[in-house]
Amino acid sequence: MFNKNKIKESFGDRVLLGVIYLLLSAIMLTVLYPLIYILSSSFSSPNAVVSGQVWLLPVELSFKAYKSIFQSSQLMLGYWNSIIYTVVGTFINVLFTVLLAFPLAQKGFVGRKIIMMMMMFTLFFDGGLIPTYLLVKNLHMLDTRWALWLPGALSVFQVIVARTFFQTSIPEELAEAAQIDGARDSRYLISIVLPLSKPIIAVMTLMYAVGHWNAYFDALIYLRSENLFPLQYVLRNMLILNAADPEMLANTAQKLRDQGFEQVLKYALIVVACVPVMIMYPFVQKHFVKGVMIGSLKG
């Protein structure tokens, strides 16, 4: 229904709005086109990709690259390792972050200013790569999954955001009511605070999970056994070092390889690596904006 009370926009406002939409559309296309090109190329024939026929939609639809990928035991093992690193690592990160941020959000917590200053210090200065490596080595975590979980068990930035969310979104009266009813701090945290903190937990889960999924440098430093390598490390070897898994090329004819099959294979690998994050994001998207906005206020 037409709203008679709607304020009419001036010509200048409409021009400005049009320019903003135009700029945003250009930025969106700049970001979106490479993704579409990679997706289309992964579903196209090697000959079409090498000859430059693919620029938007798939040409000569082909699934051979994906079929080769899922036949690779090395890649599937990397996929499984990345899932383990992401699930367990994210759980550890969120657990440690909440356990540190919750007491820091309580005004009656003794020494919280000192702890915050010590945490802030680590944002500007750290021990460096070699001391961290020696620490991991002395703790006997080299070539174990713990080397990818414990050294980065929490992020100071995420702790600050979570602490701010607890301070601004959880009324102090709830803590007083819980104490009157005889609830301890642990019961108050689990039964009252966490159910009211779904937005910030969703944000932390997404941030930590994406970080674990994309991580490869820690594996490069700390891991030696091939059965522990995450997917990103395996992809790095295939995409950058051109060390393709022989299993993926075992059933590929030399003629097809000459036509650029390995190039299509790289595009398909990129798509396969992005799928889990793209699936996870819609489930936390509804909490994402709220959690980031509230958590960042007065941070």
Side-chain angles (χ1 to χ4, degrees):
M1 181 179 293
F2 179 72
N3 186 0
K4 295 181 178 178
N5 297 324
K6 184 178 179 180
I7 300 176
K8 187 177 180 180
E9 294 178 343
S10 65
F11 177 75
D13 290 341
R14 281 182 286 176
V15 171
L16 178 61
L17 197 60
V19 172
I20 291 173
Y21 276 123
L22 192 62
L23 286 175
L24 290 177
S25 300
I27 294 173
M28 183 190 69
L29 289 175
T30 304
V31 175
L32 199 59
Y33 179 71
L35 300 177
I36 295 175
Y37 177 78
I38 290 173
L39 184 64
S40 300
S41 298
S42 69
F43 285 105
S44 301
S45 69
N47 189 35
V49 174
V50 174
S51 60
Q53 299 178 45
V54 180
W55 65 277
L56 185 61
L57 297 177
V59 177
E60 299 174 7
L61 192 64
S62 172
F63 299 95
K64 290 181 179 177
Y66 290 96
K67 185 179 177 181
S68 298
I69 287 175
F70 290 110
Q71 288 176 344
S72 168
S73 58
Q74 182 185 358
L75 197 72
M76 290 298 102
L77 181 60
Y79 225 102
W80 172 245
N81 285 333
S82 280
I83 292 173
I84 295 176
Y85 292 134
T86 302
V87 173
V88 179
T90 302
F91 175 76
I92 292 174
N93 292 144
V94 174
L95 177 66
F96 278 58
T97 302
V98 170
L99 291 180
L100 182 55
F102 175 68
L104 291 175
Q106 310 306 312
K107 293 183 178 178
F109 182 63
V110 178
R112 67 171 188 159
K113 290 185 178 179
I114 297 176
I115 295 175
M116 282 300 301
M117 289 177 62
M118 293 172 63
M119 290 171 48
M120 293 296 294
F121 183 82
T122 64
L123 285 177
F124 301 100
F125 306 98
D126 60 16
L129 179 60
I130 295 177
T132 305
Y133 176 85
L134 293 177
L135 177 63
V136 172
K137 180 182 178 182
N138 292 334
L139 292 174
H140 304 290
M141 292 194 299
L142 283 182
D143 207 23
T144 67
R145 297 187 191 278
W146 295 105
L148 272 65
W149 290 330
L150 292 187
L154 61 85
S155 162
V156 173
F157 175 78
Q158 296 293 348
V159 171
I160 295 173
V161 173
R163 183 211 62 168
T164 308
F165 183 91
F166 292 146
Q167 285 180 335
T168 56
S169 302
I170 310 297
E172 295 180 15
E173 290 77 8
L174 285 178
E176 296 173 358
Q179 289 177 352
I180 293 174
D181 290 338
R184 296 183 177 181
D185 289 340
S186 57
R187 180 65 181 275
Y188 171 62
L189 172 64
I190 296 173
S191 302
I192 298 176
V193 175
L194 291 185
L196 296 175
S197 306
K198 291 179 181 176
I200 194 63
I201 292 176
V203 171
M204 286 192 296
T205 301
L206 180 64
M207 294 288 190
Y208 281 129
V210 172
H212 280 291
W213 185 261
N214 291 330
Y216 79 93
F217 187 71
D218 290 346
L220 182 67
I221 299 298
Y222 300 128
L223 299 183
R224 297 292 178 271
S225 303
E226 290 187 0
N227 61 334
L228 296 178
F229 289 163
L231 176 65
Q232 301 300 335
Y233 185 83
V234 177
L235 291 179
R236 171 187 172 276
N237 292 338
M238 293 181 179
L239 298 177
I240 299 178
L241 303 181
N242 288 321
D245 184 4
E247 283 185 80
M248 287 193 292
L249 302 175
N251 299 322
T252 305
Q254 184 61 41
K255 180 180 178 182
L256 193 62
R257 295 176 62 175
D258 294 339
Q259 290 175 343
F261 178 73
E262 295 180 16
Q263 187 72 19
V264 178
L265 200 58
K266 291 180 181 179
Y267 290 132
L269 286 170
I270 295 172
V271 174
V272 170
C274 294
V275 166
V277 177
M278 296 174 70
I279 293 176
M280 183 178 68
Y281 183 75
F283 292 100
V284 299
Q285 189 272 338
K286 64 179 181 181
H287 298 301
F288 190 78
V289 175
K290 182 180 178 183
V292 171
M293 290 299 294
I294 297 177
S296 61
L297 290 174
K298 301 177 182 178

